[in-house]
Amino acid sequence: MKSINKIFGGIKIPWRILLPFSVLIGAYTGFILSVPAFQNTSFQDIGIGFEWWIFFAMLIITNSETPEESAIKTFIFFLISQPIVFLVQPNGIELFQRYYFNWFIYTLFTFPMAWIGWYTRKGKVFSPVILSFVLAYLTGHFISYIKLHHIFSAIFCFVLFVTLIFGVMNNRRLRMIAAILGLVFGFSVCIITYVS
């Protein structure tokens, strides 16, 4: 338990680590997406789903000392990594021109989301509510990956779901609230999407 708490709140991520980390993650993702053998497998889900990016964002958010630092560092991480994902691929310029604008909009939203996300570690009644939106995403992704038979990605979503609950929330009641809300929101969205 202590090691999980240390990951989400007990390490320092200075700029000299964050900046090259952003470049490396972007380059790795673009490379993986370029390998034909990995198509339609769990390996390429890092460039398709949100689960890994949720993990990276929560690492930055929970290890920031202020909401301002959380917002700025998370925003910069995505601002650097996302273009690189496209540009390192063989047809990178074309992909960048076609798809990056939408990802840039997502990147802009990381600033307020990371600012708000910083409060998940405050142990207040709203903390598990904030975290539940992240958990809902993971729940939805888990269900999608099970349907696609992307077992490794499904396992990662499950492990990250549990890890965030125990690593970010600091008592049993808050953990239960976060887990229940995350599951309810996640399953509700999946049911609504399936029905419609």
Side-chain angles (χ1 to χ4, degrees):
M1 187 69 67
K2 289 183 178 180
S3 59
I4 296 176
N5 288 329
K6 183 175 179 60
I7 292 172
F8 296 106
I11 58 178
K12 292 187 179 298
I13 307 178
W15 286 105
R16 68 178 184 276
I17 299 296
L18 180 69
L19 297 178
F21 179 72
S22 305
V23 173
L24 288 173
I25 292 299
Y28 169 79
T29 303
F31 170 75
I32 290 296
L33 290 172
S34 303
V35 180
F38 292 155
Q39 284 188 356
N40 301 315
T41 69
S42 291
F43 291 102
Q44 287 195 342
D45 287 334
I46 188 174
I48 300 169
F50 291 130
E51 66 280 358
W52 278 99
W53 302 97
I54 287 173
F55 172 63
F56 298 140
M58 289 303 294
L59 277 180
I60 299 168
I61 291 168
T62 56
N63 287 292
S64 296
E65 295 183 2
T66 66
E68 295 90 342
E69 179 186 353
S70 171
I72 293 170
K73 283 187 173 179
T74 304
F75 173 74
I76 294 299
F77 168 75
F78 282 93
L79 188 66
I80 293 173
S81 63
Q82 295 306 302
I84 294 174
V85 171
F86 296 107
L87 294 174
V88 300
Q89 296 183 59
N91 54 338
I93 300 298
E94 177 188 348
L95 291 173
F96 180 84
Q97 293 174 337
R98 185 185 305 174
Y99 297 113
Y100 180 66
F101 178 77
N102 290 335
W103 282 104
F104 179 69
I105 300 301
Y106 291 145
T107 299
L108 292 177
F109 279 105
T110 63
F111 191 93
M113 291 169 66
W115 189 298
I116 296 170
W118 184 82
Y119 290 94
T120 54
R121 288 192 57 83
K122 297 295 100 179
K124 305 295 183 182
V125 66
F126 54 78
S127 297
V129 176
I130 297 170
L131 184 63
S132 69
F133 289 99
V134 172
L135 300 178
Y137 262 109
L138 293 175
T139 300
H141 277 33
F142 174 83
I143 295 170
S144 296
Y145 288 139
I146 290 294
K147 291 179 180 178
L148 293 171
H149 305 291
H150 290 197
I151 303 304
F152 291 122
S153 291
I155 291 172
F156 180 74
C157 287
F158 174 79
V159 170
L160 183 56
F161 185 103
V162 174
T163 302
L164 287 175
I165 290 173
F166 284 93
V168 178
M169 297 290 96
N170 55 20
N171 67 59
R172 182 179 297 179
R173 183 173 65 89
L174 296 180
R175 289 169 185 155
M176 288 184 63
I177 294 172
I180 291 170
L181 290 177
L183 290 171
V184 169
F185 292 160
F187 276 105
S188 297
V189 170
C190 289
I191 291 171
I192 292 170
T193 303
Y194 177 79
V195 170
S196 58

